[in-house]
């Protein structure tokens, strides 16, 4: 089996690739920015890091927009961090940046007015370990305890129009969506490749997943 990690110059690409190689040594893990290679892969991982507007520019400059959209329509697809946010329609980042529009909804910045937890003022970006509540069952949660901790680095969060998309939530300090899923797509705000045993289990589940919810 061939699993492509999309290389568009943005994201924690090597860490994601190495984590997949660790959990799937019998499969071919390909880090590539070639649309033809991505189209030929059995599964696709779409990581991301940095500003959404820059990520969209790089996708277009490298001719990868349609490869991403086609993969999201046709095969098991995992989005990570900005790679998850890019699946929505628009982001507050950079003055209403347009994204890919796979899912209806927005990506919003943590509002300074709400970043108070008791006497503690929470920092933005949200950085570090946080518990994830599983909103509903999914094959990628197999063997992962509800409330398990995953690693986050982000200043913006996903807000889907369809609440049924949400499969994972966390608090900072209010509740927000950290994982979404529909059909063959699963996407996380947290970084499974940086989340030790739980993250590796999620990646192993993705490798084993046939794309059915």
């Amino acid at each position: 089996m061939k699993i492509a990690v999309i290389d568009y110059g943005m994201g924690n690409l090597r860490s994601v690739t190495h984590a997949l190689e660790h959990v799937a040594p019998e499969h071919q893990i390909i880090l590539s920015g070639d649309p033809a290679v991505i189209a030929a892969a059995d599964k696709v991982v779409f990581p991301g890091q940095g500003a959404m507007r820059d990520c969209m520019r790089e996708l277009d400059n490298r001719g990868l927009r349609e490869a991403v959209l086609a993969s999201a329509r046709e095969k098991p697809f995992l989005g990570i961090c900005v790679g998850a946010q890019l699946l929505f329609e628009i982001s507050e980042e950079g003055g209403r940046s347009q994204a890919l529009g796979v899912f209806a909804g927005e990506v919003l910045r943590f509002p300074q007015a709400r970043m108070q937890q008791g006497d503690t003022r929470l920092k933005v970006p949200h950085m570090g370990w946080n518990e994830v509540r599983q909103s509903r069952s999914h094959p990628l949660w197999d063997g992962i305890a509800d409330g398990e901790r995953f690693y986050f680095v982000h200043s913006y969060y996903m807000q889907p129009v369809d609440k049924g998309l949400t499969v994972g939530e966390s608090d900072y300090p209010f509740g927000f969506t950290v994982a979404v899923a529909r059909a063959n797509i699963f996407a996380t705000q947290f970084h499974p490749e940086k989340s030790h045993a739980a993250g590796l289990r999620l990646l192993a589940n993705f490798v084993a997943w046939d794309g059915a919810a």
Side-chain angles (χ1 to χ4, degrees):
M1 182 171 63
K2 295 180 180 179
I3 303 173
V5 179
I6 298 176
D7 181 1
Y8 57 108
M10 310 287 291
N12 197 29
L13 303 173
R14 294 295 175 188
S15 293
V16 173
T17 303
H18 291 159
L20 286 165
E21 290 171 343
H22 177 77
V23 300
E26 71 278 22
H27 298 303
Q28 188 175 1
I29 312 301
I30 308 164
L31 176 61
S32 179
D34 184 338
V37 171
I38 294 161
D42 300 292
K43 300 184 179 187
V44 168
V45 179
F46 184 38
Q49 196 166 296
M52 182 176 286
R53 181 168 290 179
D54 294 340
C55 292
M56 286 299 301
R57 184 187 65 244
E58 288 304 310
L59 280 179
D60 288 335
N61 287 347
R62 296 166 188 242
L64 287 167
R65 180 193 287 251
E66 185 50 42
V68 172
L69 291 172
S71 296
R73 289 192 300 265
E74 298 167 0
K75 61 191 70 177
F77 184 99
L78 176 63
I80 298 173
C81 195
V82 175
Q85 294 179 359
L86 283 164
L87 298 176
F88 287 84
E89 295 170 299
I90 198 163
S91 172
E92 286 188 332
E93 187 176 11
R96 309 292 288 175
S97 299
Q98 296 291 326
L100 294 171
V102 174
F103 298 139
E106 296 181 293
V107 177
L108 305 176
R109 183 174 175 82
F110 283 110
Q112 290 296 331
R114 297 183 65 186
M115 304 313 294
Q116 194 74 30
Q117 189 170 44
D119 295 331
T120 303
R121 186 73 177 169
L122 299 182
K123 296 179 180 180
V124 178
H126 169 216
M127 185 179 298
W129 296 85
N130 210 343
E131 294 181 0
V132 171
R133 300 186 300 277
Q134 297 172 19
S135 308
R136 59 180 171 89
S137 63
H138 191 279
L140 266 68
W141 291 138
D142 183 52
I144 298 173
D146 190 17
E148 183 61 82
R149 292 164 65 84
F150 289 86
Y151 189 80
F152 292 80
V153 183
H154 64 123
S155 300
Y156 296 80
Y157 63 95
M158 303 175 288
Q159 184 166 279
V161 170
D162 178 5
K163 302 304 181 186
L165 286 175
T166 299
V167 292
E169 298 175 280
S170 194
D171 296 305
Y172 193 74
F174 53 87
F176 67 99
T177 294
V178 301
V180 294
R182 186 181 71 193
N184 59 301
I185 301 172
F186 193 95
T188 69
Q189 182 61 67
F190 55 82
H191 288 268
E193 77 282 3
K194 296 181 179 179
S195 297
H196 298 171
L200 291 176
R201 179 57 187 259
L202 189 146
L203 292 175
N205 289 342
F206 174 71
V207 171
W209 185 38
D210 64 3

Short mmCIF file of all heavy atoms in Angstrom, two decimals, residues 135-196:
data_model
loop_
_atom_site.label_atom_id
_atom_site.label_comp_id
_atom_site.label_asym_id
_atom_site.label_seq_id
_atom_site.Cartn_x
_atom_site.Cartn_y
_atom_site.Cartn_z
N SER A 135 -16.53 12.68 20.75
CA SER A 135 -17.94 13.05 20.63
C SER A 135 -18.80 11.90 20.11
O SER A 135 -19.99 11.82 20.41
CB SER A 135 -18.09 14.25 19.69
OG SER A 135 -17.23 15.30 20.08
N ARG A 136 -18.21 11.05 19.31
CA ARG A 136 -18.88 9.84 18.83
C ARG A 136 -17.82 8.84 18.41
O ARG A 136 -16.64 9.17 18.27
CB ARG A 136 -19.83 10.15 17.67
CG ARG A 136 -19.21 10.79 16.44
CD ARG A 136 -20.27 11.04 15.37
NE ARG A 136 -19.78 11.83 14.26
CZ ARG A 136 -19.20 11.33 13.18
NH1 ARG A 136 -19.02 10.02 13.08
NH2 ARG A 136 -18.79 12.12 12.19
N SER A 137 -18.24 7.62 18.25
CA SER A 137 -17.29 6.56 17.90
C SER A 137 -16.82 6.72 16.46
O SER A 137 -17.51 7.27 15.61
CB SER A 137 -17.94 5.19 18.09
OG SER A 137 -19.05 5.04 17.22
N HIS A 138 -15.62 6.23 16.21
CA HIS A 138 -15.04 6.25 14.87
C HIS A 138 -13.90 5.23 14.86
O HIS A 138 -13.23 5.04 15.88
CB HIS A 138 -14.51 7.64 14.52
CG HIS A 138 -14.14 7.78 13.08
ND1 HIS A 138 -12.93 7.34 12.58
CD2 HIS A 138 -14.82 8.30 12.02
CE1 HIS A 138 -12.89 7.57 11.28
NE2 HIS A 138 -14.02 8.16 10.92
N PRO A 139 -13.65 4.58 13.72
CA PRO A 139 -12.54 3.61 13.67
C PRO A 139 -11.19 4.17 14.07
O PRO A 139 -10.34 3.43 14.59
CB PRO A 139 -12.54 3.16 12.20
CG PRO A 139 -13.96 3.33 11.75
CD PRO A 139 -14.45 4.56 12.47
N LEU A 140 -10.96 5.47 13.87
CA LEU A 140 -9.65 6.03 14.24
C LEU A 140 -9.50 6.24 15.75
O LEU A 140 -8.39 6.49 16.23
CB LEU A 140 -9.36 7.32 13.47
CG LEU A 140 -8.55 7.08 12.18
CD1 LEU A 140 -9.37 6.33 11.15
CD2 LEU A 140 -8.03 8.37 11.60
N TRP A 141 -10.60 6.12 16.50
CA TRP A 141 -10.52 6.16 17.96
C TRP A 141 -10.29 4.78 18.56
O TRP A 141 -10.14 4.65 19.79
CB TRP A 141 -11.80 6.74 18.56
CG TRP A 141 -12.10 8.18 18.34
CD1 TRP A 141 -13.31 8.72 18.03
CD2 TRP A 141 -11.22 9.32 18.48
NE1 TRP A 141 -13.25 10.09 17.94
CE2 TRP A 141 -11.97 10.49 18.21
CE3 TRP A 141 -9.86 9.45 18.78
CZ2 TRP A 141 -11.42 11.77 18.24
CZ3 TRP A 141 -9.31 10.73 18.81
CH2 TRP A 141 -10.08 11.86 18.54
N ASP A 142 -10.25 3.75 17.74
CA ASP A 142 -10.13 2.39 18.27
C ASP A 142 -8.89 2.25 19.15
O ASP A 142 -7.77 2.60 18.75
CB ASP A 142 -10.04 1.39 17.11
CG ASP A 142 -9.98 -0.04 17.59
OD1 ASP A 142 -10.85 -0.42 18.39
OD2 ASP A 142 -9.05 -0.77 17.19
N GLY A 143 -9.10 1.74 20.38
CA GLY A 143 -7.99 1.52 21.30
C GLY A 143 -7.47 2.76 21.99
O GLY A 143 -6.47 2.70 22.72
N ILE A 144 -8.14 3.91 21.78
CA ILE A 144 -7.73 5.18 22.41
C ILE A 144 -8.80 5.56 23.43
O ILE A 144 -9.98 5.69 23.09
CB ILE A 144 -7.58 6.30 21.36
CG1 ILE A 144 -6.48 5.92 20.36
CG2 ILE A 144 -7.24 7.63 22.04
CD1 ILE A 144 -6.38 6.87 19.17
N ALA A 145 -8.40 5.75 24.66
CA ALA A 145 -9.35 6.05 25.72
C ALA A 145 -9.99 7.42 25.53
O ALA A 145 -9.32 8.37 25.10
CB ALA A 145 -8.65 6.00 27.08
N ASP A 146 -11.27 7.51 25.83
CA ASP A 146 -11.94 8.81 25.85
C ASP A 146 -11.27 9.68 26.91
O ASP A 146 -11.03 9.23 28.04
CB ASP A 146 -13.42 8.61 26.18
CG ASP A 146 -14.24 9.87 25.99
OD1 ASP A 146 -13.76 10.81 25.31
OD2 ASP A 146 -15.35 9.92 26.54
N GLY A 147 -10.93 10.92 26.57
CA GLY A 147 -10.22 11.79 27.49
C GLY A 147 -8.71 11.69 27.39
O GLY A 147 -7.99 12.34 28.17
N GLU A 148 -8.22 10.90 26.44
CA GLU A 148 -6.76 10.81 26.24
C GLU A 148 -6.20 12.18 25.88
O GLU A 148 -6.88 13.03 25.32
CB GLU A 148 -6.47 9.80 25.12
CG GLU A 148 -5.02 9.55 24.85
CD GLU A 148 -4.29 8.98 26.05
OE1 GLU A 148 -4.35 7.76 26.28
OE2 GLU A 148 -3.65 9.79 26.77
N ARG A 149 -4.93 12.40 26.20
CA ARG A 149 -4.29 13.68 25.96
C ARG A 149 -3.51 13.65 24.64
O ARG A 149 -2.82 12.68 24.35
CB ARG A 149 -3.36 14.04 27.12
CG ARG A 149 -4.12 14.34 28.40
CD ARG A 149 -3.22 14.31 29.62
NE ARG A 149 -2.22 15.36 29.59
CZ ARG A 149 -2.43 16.61 30.00
NH1 ARG A 149 -3.62 16.97 30.45
NH2 ARG A 149 -1.46 17.49 29.97
N PHE A 150 -3.65 14.74 23.88
CA PHE A 150 -2.94 14.91 22.63
C PHE A 150 -2.24 16.27 22.63
O PHE A 150 -2.56 17.15 23.43
CB PHE A 150 -3.90 14.82 21.44
CG PHE A 150 -4.43 13.44 21.18
CD1 PHE A 150 -5.55 12.97 21.86
CD2 PHE A 150 -3.80 12.60 20.28
CE1 PHE A 150 -6.03 11.69 21.63
CE2 PHE A 150 -4.28 11.32 20.03
CZ PHE A 150 -5.40 10.87 20.71
N TYR A 151 -1.29 16.45 21.71
CA TYR A 151 -0.47 17.66 21.69
C TYR A 151 -1.00 18.67 20.66
O TYR A 151 -1.25 18.33 19.51
CB TYR A 151 0.99 17.31 21.34
CG TYR A 151 1.92 18.49 21.53
CD1 TYR A 151 2.37 18.85 22.78
CD2 TYR A 151 2.31 19.26 20.44
CE1 TYR A 151 3.21 19.94 22.96
CE2 TYR A 151 3.15 20.35 20.60
CZ TYR A 151 3.58 20.69 21.87
OH TYR A 151 4.40 21.77 22.03
N PHE A 152 -1.13 19.93 21.11
CA PHE A 152 -1.68 21.01 20.31
C PHE A 152 -0.68 22.16 20.16
O PHE A 152 0.05 22.47 21.09
CB PHE A 152 -2.93 21.60 20.97
CG PHE A 152 -4.13 20.70 21.02
CD1 PHE A 152 -4.25 19.70 21.98
CD2 PHE A 152 -5.17 20.86 20.10
CE1 PHE A 152 -5.37 18.89 22.03
CE2 PHE A 152 -6.29 20.05 20.14
CZ PHE A 152 -6.38 19.06 21.11
N VAL A 153 -0.72 22.82 19.00
CA VAL A 153 -0.05 24.10 18.79
C VAL A 153 -0.92 24.87 17.79
O VAL A 153 -0.87 24.62 16.59
CB VAL A 153 1.37 23.97 18.20
CG1 VAL A 153 2.02 25.36 18.09
CG2 VAL A 153 2.24 23.06 19.04
N HIS A 154 -1.74 25.82 18.28
CA HIS A 154 -2.61 26.55 17.36
C HIS A 154 -3.21 27.78 18.03
O HIS A 154 -3.38 27.83 19.25
CB HIS A 154 -3.75 25.65 16.84
CG HIS A 154 -4.70 25.18 17.89
ND1 HIS A 154 -6.06 25.40 17.84
CD2 HIS A 154 -4.49 24.49 19.05
CE1 HIS A 154 -6.64 24.87 18.90
NE2 HIS A 154 -5.71 24.33 19.64
N SER A 155 -3.54 28.76 17.19
CA SER A 155 -4.21 29.98 17.64
C SER A 155 -5.64 30.07 17.11
O SER A 155 -6.38 30.96 17.51
CB SER A 155 -3.44 31.21 17.15
OG SER A 155 -2.12 31.22 17.67
N TYR A 156 -6.00 29.16 16.21
CA TYR A 156 -7.32 29.17 15.57
C TYR A 156 -7.95 27.80 15.74
O TYR A 156 -7.25 26.79 15.87
CB TYR A 156 -7.18 29.49 14.07
CG TYR A 156 -6.65 30.87 13.81
CD1 TYR A 156 -5.29 31.14 13.90
CD2 TYR A 156 -7.51 31.93 13.49
CE1 TYR A 156 -4.78 32.41 13.68
CE2 TYR A 156 -7.02 33.20 13.26
CZ TYR A 156 -5.66 33.44 13.35
OH TYR A 156 -5.17 34.71 13.14
N TYR A 157 -9.27 27.75 15.72
CA TYR A 157 -9.98 26.48 15.90
C TYR A 157 -11.11 26.35 14.88
O TYR A 157 -11.62 27.34 14.36
CB TYR A 157 -10.53 26.37 17.33
CG TYR A 157 -11.56 27.41 17.70
CD1 TYR A 157 -12.93 27.16 17.57
CD2 TYR A 157 -11.17 28.66 18.18
CE1 TYR A 157 -13.87 28.12 17.91
CE2 TYR A 157 -12.10 29.62 18.53
CZ TYR A 157 -13.45 29.34 18.39
OH TYR A 157 -14.38 30.30 18.72
N MET A 158 -11.49 25.12 14.60
CA MET A 158 -12.51 24.82 13.59
C MET A 158 -13.91 24.97 14.18
O MET A 158 -14.16 24.54 15.30
CB MET A 158 -12.33 23.38 13.09
CG MET A 158 -10.96 23.09 12.52
SD MET A 158 -10.73 21.34 12.06
CE MET A 158 -10.61 20.55 13.69
N GLN A 159 -14.80 25.55 13.40
CA GLN A 159 -16.21 25.65 13.81
C GLN A 159 -17.10 25.19 12.64
O GLN A 159 -17.48 25.99 11.78
CB GLN A 159 -16.57 27.09 14.21
CG GLN A 159 -18.00 27.21 14.73
CD GLN A 159 -18.22 28.53 15.44
OE1 GLN A 159 -17.87 28.70 16.60
NE2 GLN A 159 -18.80 29.49 14.74
N PRO A 160 -17.40 23.90 12.58
CA PRO A 160 -18.22 23.39 11.49
C PRO A 160 -19.67 23.83 11.60
O PRO A 160 -20.20 23.99 12.71
CB PRO A 160 -18.09 21.87 11.63
CG PRO A 160 -17.73 21.64 13.05
CD PRO A 160 -16.95 22.84 13.50
N VAL A 161 -20.31 24.05 10.46
CA VAL A 161 -21.75 24.34 10.44
C VAL A 161 -22.53 23.11 10.89
O VAL A 161 -23.45 23.20 11.70
CB VAL A 161 -22.19 24.78 9.03
CG1 VAL A 161 -23.71 24.86 8.92
CG2 VAL A 161 -21.56 26.13 8.69
N ASP A 162 -22.16 21.96 10.38
CA ASP A 162 -22.80 20.70 10.74
C ASP A 162 -22.12 20.14 11.98
O ASP A 162 -21.00 19.64 11.92
CB ASP A 162 -22.69 19.72 9.57
CG ASP A 162 -23.30 18.35 9.89
OD1 ASP A 162 -23.88 18.20 10.97
OD2 ASP A 162 -23.16 17.45 9.03
N LYS A 163 -22.79 20.20 13.12
CA LYS A 163 -22.20 19.72 14.37
C LYS A 163 -21.96 18.23 14.33
O LYS A 163 -21.16 17.70 15.10
CB LYS A 163 -23.10 20.08 15.55
CG LYS A 163 -23.38 21.58 15.69
CD LYS A 163 -22.11 22.40 15.78
CE LYS A 163 -22.41 23.89 15.95
NZ LYS A 163 -21.19 24.71 15.89
N GLY A 164 -22.64 17.53 13.42
CA GLY A 164 -22.42 16.09 13.29
C GLY A 164 -21.05 15.73 12.76
O GLY A 164 -20.64 14.58 12.85
N LEU A 165 -20.34 16.70 12.19
CA LEU A 165 -18.97 16.46 11.74
C LEU A 165 -18.01 16.23 12.91
O LEU A 165 -16.99 15.56 12.77
CB LEU A 165 -18.45 17.64 10.92
CG LEU A 165 -18.97 17.85 9.51
CD1 LEU A 165 -18.42 19.15 8.94
CD2 LEU A 165 -18.56 16.68 8.62
N THR A 166 -18.33 16.79 14.05
CA THR A 166 -17.41 16.77 15.19
C THR A 166 -17.33 15.37 15.79
O THR A 166 -18.34 14.78 16.17
CB THR A 166 -17.86 17.77 16.27
OG1 THR A 166 -17.84 19.09 15.71
CG2 THR A 166 -16.95 17.73 17.48
N VAL A 167 -16.12 14.84 15.88
CA VAL A 167 -15.89 13.55 16.54
C VAL A 167 -14.97 13.69 17.75
O VAL A 167 -14.77 12.73 18.48
CB VAL A 167 -15.32 12.51 15.56
CG1 VAL A 167 -16.33 12.13 14.51
CG2 VAL A 167 -14.02 12.98 14.92
N GLY A 168 -14.42 14.89 17.97
CA GLY A 168 -13.57 15.13 19.12
C GLY A 168 -13.65 16.57 19.56
O GLY A 168 -13.75 17.47 18.72
N GLU A 169 -13.63 16.79 20.88
CA GLU A 169 -13.71 18.13 21.45
C GLU A 169 -12.71 18.27 22.58
O GLU A 169 -12.28 17.29 23.19
CB GLU A 169 -15.12 18.43 21.97
CG GLU A 169 -16.20 18.41 20.91
CD GLU A 169 -17.58 18.60 21.51
OE1 GLU A 169 -18.12 17.60 22.04
OE2 GLU A 169 -18.10 19.73 21.46
N SER A 170 -12.34 19.52 22.86
CA SER A 170 -11.49 19.82 24.00
C SER A 170 -11.94 21.16 24.57
O SER A 170 -12.89 21.77 24.08
CB SER A 170 -10.02 19.87 23.57
OG SER A 170 -9.18 19.83 24.69
N ASP A 171 -11.25 21.62 25.62
CA ASP A 171 -11.59 22.89 26.26
C ASP A 171 -10.36 23.77 26.36
O ASP A 171 -9.29 23.30 26.78
CB ASP A 171 -12.14 22.66 27.68
CG ASP A 171 -13.44 21.89 27.67
OD1 ASP A 171 -14.39 22.32 26.99
OD2 ASP A 171 -13.50 20.85 28.34
N TYR A 172 -10.54 25.07 25.98
CA TYR A 172 -9.45 26.04 26.16
C TYR A 172 -10.00 27.47 26.07
O TYR A 172 -9.86 28.09 25.02
CB TYR A 172 -8.35 25.84 25.13
CG TYR A 172 -7.07 26.60 25.48
CD1 TYR A 172 -6.24 26.16 26.49
CD2 TYR A 172 -6.72 27.76 24.80
CE1 TYR A 172 -5.08 26.86 26.82
CE2 TYR A 172 -5.56 28.46 25.13
CZ TYR A 172 -4.75 28.00 26.13
OH TYR A 172 -3.61 28.68 26.45
N PRO A 173 -10.56 28.04 27.08
CA PRO A 173 -11.16 27.36 28.24
C PRO A 173 -12.57 26.84 27.91
O PRO A 173 -13.12 26.03 28.63
CB PRO A 173 -11.22 28.47 29.29
CG PRO A 173 -11.43 29.71 28.48
CD PRO A 173 -10.67 29.51 27.19
N PHE A 174 -13.14 27.30 26.79
CA PHE A 174 -14.47 26.85 26.36
C PHE A 174 -14.32 25.63 25.44
O PHE A 174 -13.24 25.35 24.91
CB PHE A 174 -15.21 27.99 25.63
CG PHE A 174 -14.43 28.59 24.49
CD1 PHE A 174 -14.48 28.06 23.21
CD2 PHE A 174 -13.62 29.71 24.71
CE1 PHE A 174 -13.75 28.62 22.16
CE2 PHE A 174 -12.89 30.28 23.66
CZ PHE A 174 -12.95 29.72 22.40
N GLY A 175 -15.40 24.92 25.25
CA GLY A 175 -15.36 23.75 24.39
C GLY A 175 -15.22 24.12 22.92
O GLY A 175 -15.85 25.08 22.45
N PHE A 176 -14.40 23.38 22.20
CA PHE A 176 -14.25 23.62 20.76
C PHE A 176 -13.93 22.29 20.06
O PHE A 176 -13.47 21.33 20.68
CB PHE A 176 -13.15 24.66 20.48
CG PHE A 176 -11.75 24.22 20.83
CD1 PHE A 176 -10.89 23.74 19.87
CD2 PHE A 176 -11.30 24.30 22.15
CE1 PHE A 176 -9.60 23.34 20.19
CE2 PHE A 176 -10.01 23.90 22.48
CZ PHE A 176 -9.16 23.42 21.50
N THR A 177 -14.19 22.26 18.76
CA THR A 177 -13.98 21.07 17.95
C THR A 177 -12.49 20.85 17.69
O THR A 177 -11.80 21.76 17.24
CB THR A 177 -14.73 21.20 16.61
OG1 THR A 177 -16.14 21.22 16.88
CG2 THR A 177 -14.41 20.05 15.67
N VAL A 178 -12.03 19.62 17.92
CA VAL A 178 -10.62 19.30 17.66
C VAL A 178 -10.46 18.15 16.67
O VAL A 178 -9.34 17.88 16.22
CB VAL A 178 -9.85 18.97 18.95
CG1 VAL A 178 -9.90 20.14 19.91
CG2 VAL A 178 -10.36 17.70 19.61
N ALA A 179 -11.55 17.48 16.31
CA ALA A 179 -11.49 16.43 15.30
C ALA A 179 -12.82 16.37 14.58
O ALA A 179 -13.88 16.47 15.21
CB ALA A 179 -11.15 15.08 15.92
N VAL A 180 -12.76 16.23 13.26
CA VAL A 180 -13.96 16.13 12.44
C VAL A 180 -13.83 14.90 11.54
O VAL A 180 -12.72 14.46 11.22
CB VAL A 180 -14.19 17.39 11.58
CG1 VAL A 180 -14.50 18.59 12.45
CG2 VAL A 180 -13.00 17.68 10.67
N ALA A 181 -14.98 14.37 11.14
CA ALA A 181 -14.95 13.20 10.25
C ALA A 181 -16.23 13.17 9.43
O ALA A 181 -17.32 13.51 9.92
CB ALA A 181 -14.82 11.92 11.06
N ARG A 182 -16.07 12.76 8.19
CA ARG A 182 -17.20 12.49 7.29
C ARG A 182 -16.73 11.52 6.22
O ARG A 182 -15.71 11.76 5.57
CB ARG A 182 -17.71 13.78 6.64
CG ARG A 182 -18.98 13.56 5.80
CD ARG A 182 -19.45 14.85 5.16
NE ARG A 182 -18.54 15.26 4.09
CZ ARG A 182 -18.57 16.47 3.52
NH1 ARG A 182 -19.42 17.39 3.96
NH2 ARG A 182 -17.72 16.77 2.54
N ALA A 183 -17.48 10.41 6.09
CA ALA A 183 -17.16 9.42 5.06
C ALA A 183 -15.69 9.03 5.16
O ALA A 183 -15.24 8.51 6.18
CB ALA A 183 -17.53 9.95 3.69
N ASN A 184 -14.89 9.31 4.13
CA ASN A 184 -13.49 8.88 4.06
C ASN A 184 -12.50 9.87 4.65
O ASN A 184 -11.29 9.67 4.57
CB ASN A 184 -13.10 8.64 2.59
CG ASN A 184 -13.27 9.91 1.76
OD1 ASN A 184 -14.37 10.45 1.68
ND2 ASN A 184 -12.20 10.39 1.15
N ILE A 185 -12.99 10.95 5.27
CA ILE A 185 -12.11 12.01 5.80
C ILE A 185 -12.12 11.98 7.32
O ILE A 185 -13.18 11.90 7.95
CB ILE A 185 -12.56 13.40 5.33
CG1 ILE A 185 -12.57 13.49 3.81
CG2 ILE A 185 -11.67 14.48 5.93
CD1 ILE A 185 -13.19 14.78 3.29
N PHE A 186 -10.93 12.07 7.91
CA PHE A 186 -10.77 12.29 9.35
C PHE A 186 -9.72 13.39 9.48
O PHE A 186 -8.69 13.35 8.80
CB PHE A 186 -10.30 11.02 10.05
CG PHE A 186 -10.39 11.05 11.54
CD1 PHE A 186 -11.50 10.53 12.19
CD2 PHE A 186 -9.37 11.59 12.31
CE1 PHE A 186 -11.60 10.53 13.58
CE2 PHE A 186 -9.45 11.61 13.70
CZ PHE A 186 -10.57 11.08 14.33
N ALA A 187 -9.96 14.39 10.33
CA ALA A 187 -9.02 15.51 10.44
C ALA A 187 -8.95 15.97 11.88
O ALA A 187 -9.97 16.06 12.57
CB ALA A 187 -9.45 16.66 9.53
N THR A 188 -7.74 16.29 12.32
CA THR A 188 -7.50 16.65 13.72
C THR A 188 -6.78 18.00 13.84
O THR A 188 -5.87 18.29 13.06
CB THR A 188 -6.65 15.59 14.43
OG1 THR A 188 -5.31 15.62 13.92
CG2 THR A 188 -7.23 14.21 14.25
N GLN A 189 -7.19 18.77 14.84
CA GLN A 189 -6.46 19.99 15.16
C GLN A 189 -5.15 19.66 15.87
O GLN A 189 -4.15 20.34 15.69
CB GLN A 189 -7.32 20.89 16.05
CG GLN A 189 -6.67 22.21 16.41
CD GLN A 189 -6.37 23.05 15.18
OE1 GLN A 189 -7.29 23.50 14.50
NE2 GLN A 189 -5.09 23.25 14.87
N PHE A 190 -5.14 18.63 16.67
CA PHE A 190 -3.93 18.23 17.38
C PHE A 190 -2.97 17.49 16.44
O PHE A 190 -3.31 17.12 15.32
CB PHE A 190 -4.28 17.36 18.59
CG PHE A 190 -5.11 16.14 18.28
CD1 PHE A 190 -4.52 14.98 17.81
CD2 PHE A 190 -6.48 16.14 18.48
CE1 PHE A 190 -5.26 13.85 17.53
CE2 PHE A 190 -7.25 15.02 18.20
CZ PHE A 190 -6.64 13.87 17.73
N HIS A 191 -1.76 17.29 16.93
CA HIS A 191 -0.70 16.64 16.16
C HIS A 191 -0.53 15.19 16.63
O HIS A 191 0.14 14.96 17.64
CB HIS A 191 0.62 17.38 16.33
CG HIS A 191 0.69 18.70 15.64
ND1 HIS A 191 1.18 18.85 14.36
CD2 HIS A 191 0.32 19.94 16.05
CE1 HIS A 191 1.12 20.11 14.00
NE2 HIS A 191 0.59 20.79 15.00
N PRO A 192 -1.08 14.21 15.93
CA PRO A 192 -0.85 12.82 16.36
C PRO A 192 0.61 12.42 16.32
O PRO A 192 1.07 11.62 17.15
CB PRO A 192 -1.71 12.00 15.39
CG PRO A 192 -1.99 12.89 14.24
CD PRO A 192 -1.99 14.28 14.77
N GLU A 193 1.36 12.98 15.37
CA GLU A 193 2.78 12.61 15.24
C GLU A 193 3.62 13.10 16.42
O GLU A 193 4.76 12.67 16.59
CB GLU A 193 3.35 13.14 13.92
CG GLU A 193 3.67 14.61 13.88
CD GLU A 193 2.47 15.54 13.69
OE1 GLU A 193 1.34 15.03 13.65
OE2 GLU A 193 2.69 16.77 13.61
N LYS A 194 3.06 14.01 17.23
CA LYS A 194 3.76 14.52 18.42
C LYS A 194 3.11 14.05 19.72
O LYS A 194 3.48 14.53 20.79
CB LYS A 194 3.78 16.05 18.40
CG LYS A 194 4.54 16.67 17.24
CD LYS A 194 4.51 18.19 17.33
CE LYS A 194 5.28 18.84 16.20
NZ LYS A 194 5.24 20.33 16.27
N SER A 195 2.15 13.13 19.61
CA SER A 195 1.31 12.77 20.76
C SER A 195 1.60 11.39 21.33
O SER A 195 0.73 10.73 21.89
CB SER A 195 -0.18 12.87 20.36
OG SER A 195 -0.53 14.20 20.03
N HIS A 196 2.84 10.96 21.18
CA HIS A 196 3.32 9.73 21.81
C HIS A 196 2.43 8.53 21.47
O HIS A 196 2.00 8.38 20.32
CB HIS A 196 3.46 9.94 23.31
CG HIS A 196 4.47 10.99 23.66
ND1 HIS A 196 4.64 11.48 24.94
CD2 HIS A 196 5.37 11.67 22.91
CE1 HIS A 196 5.59 12.39 24.96
NE2 HIS A 196 6.04 12.53 23.73
#
